[in-house]
Amino acid sequence: AAAQRAAALAERTFTDPALAKRLLLSMALVRENPRSGPASIPGPGHVIQEGFVWANYPPLELVLKKHMAQYYELSTTKCQSAQQQSFNNDITASVKVVARAHKWNFADCFNDKALRDRVRCYYKTHIQNAKKRLRTMTRNPTKRANAKHLLQHLELIEQHNPNGESEEQQRKS
């Protein structure tokens, strides 16, 4: 029964772009980093170096995760807009505020542009990985693990957004 429901859901993703988008975002949002996080976070005075991994700085990664849905909405509906640029600047500022609260400093190579680029790469990577997972699951939706995960994500999006409205539609109502 689950495999049949998952197969029907997979079919719907090909004809319902809004559903595919919601599944994709769900996958990106709930995905936990397969690398284990740090046993402890760096102490005051720590300098965040070029090539750092967001997962090693959980308070900074949390800022990004909290805003992933908004980033995805802007990147798909208002790409390259002043609104998206403002959002990117605000996220960069928020990351810097949280870093300062922990008394961390960014290495000299991190001007605002470099940090914005790292933020965009974080989001882009999460969305690309979610797209790959969704593609894999929809190609073989009756496989037990794929069926389980597809149905779990459908349940999540129905719990959080039962009417299937976009984030923007919800804000307008």
Side-chain angles (χ1 to χ4, degrees):
Q4 290 173 331
R5 287 181 33 230
L9 175 59
E11 270 307 307
R12 283 180 41 210
T13 64
F14 298 117
T15 58
D16 184 351
L19 173 63
K21 178 180 171 180
R22 292 188 349 252
L23 281 169
L24 178 68
L25 184 57
S26 175
M27 289 179 175
L29 287 170
V30 301
R31 177 74 172 167
E32 291 298 321
N33 192 326
R35 297 182 200 143
S36 59
S40 62
I41 61 173
H46 177 77
V47 177
I48 301 170
Q49 298 295 329
E50 185 175 16
F52 76 96
V53 176
W54 290 100
N56 291 339
Y57 301 89
L60 301 183
E61 187 175 31
L62 184 60
V63 170
L64 301 181
K65 281 187 170 194
K66 283 173 140 178
H67 295 90
M68 189 177 294
Q70 187 179 2
Y71 177 87
Y72 185 58
E73 184 70 24
L74 286 170
S75 70
T76 56
T77 62
K78 305 209 185 306
C79 190
Q80 306 281 331
S81 68
Q83 189 176 356
Q84 186 182 28
Q85 288 174 358
S86 175
F87 172 83
N88 290 342
N89 290 335
D90 291 346
I91 285 292
T92 301
S94 295
V95 166
K96 290 167 72 174
V97 165
V98 171
R100 275 195 298 277
H102 285 83
K103 297 182 173 41
W104 299 333
N105 299 303
F106 284 95
D108 292 339
C109 63
F110 280 110
N111 56 24
D112 283 350
K113 180 188 180 313
L115 191 53
R116 266 194 314 274
D117 288 347
R118 288 300 306 273
V119 167
R120 278 194 302 271
C121 286
Y122 174 87
Y123 287 130
K124 183 179 175 183
T125 299
H126 273 272
I127 296 299
Q128 285 176 336
N129 288 342
K131 282 180 182 177
K132 289 177 188 173
R133 284 193 306 279
L134 181 59
R135 193 176 314 120
T136 298
M137 288 181 198
T138 56
R139 283 186 180 151
N140 192 359
T142 57
K143 183 177 173 187
R144 187 180 313 201
N146 291 349
K148 174 185 169 190
H149 290 294
L150 278 170
L151 295 175
Q152 283 176 341
H153 285 289
L154 179 62
E155 187 177 310
L156 276 174
I157 62 178
E158 287 175 343
Q159 284 174 357
H160 290 70
N161 189 1
N163 300 326
E165 296 175 324
S166 72
E167 302 295 324
E168 192 170 315
Q169 288 169 325
Q170 287 179 342
R171 283 191 294 272
K172 287 179 182 176
S173 44

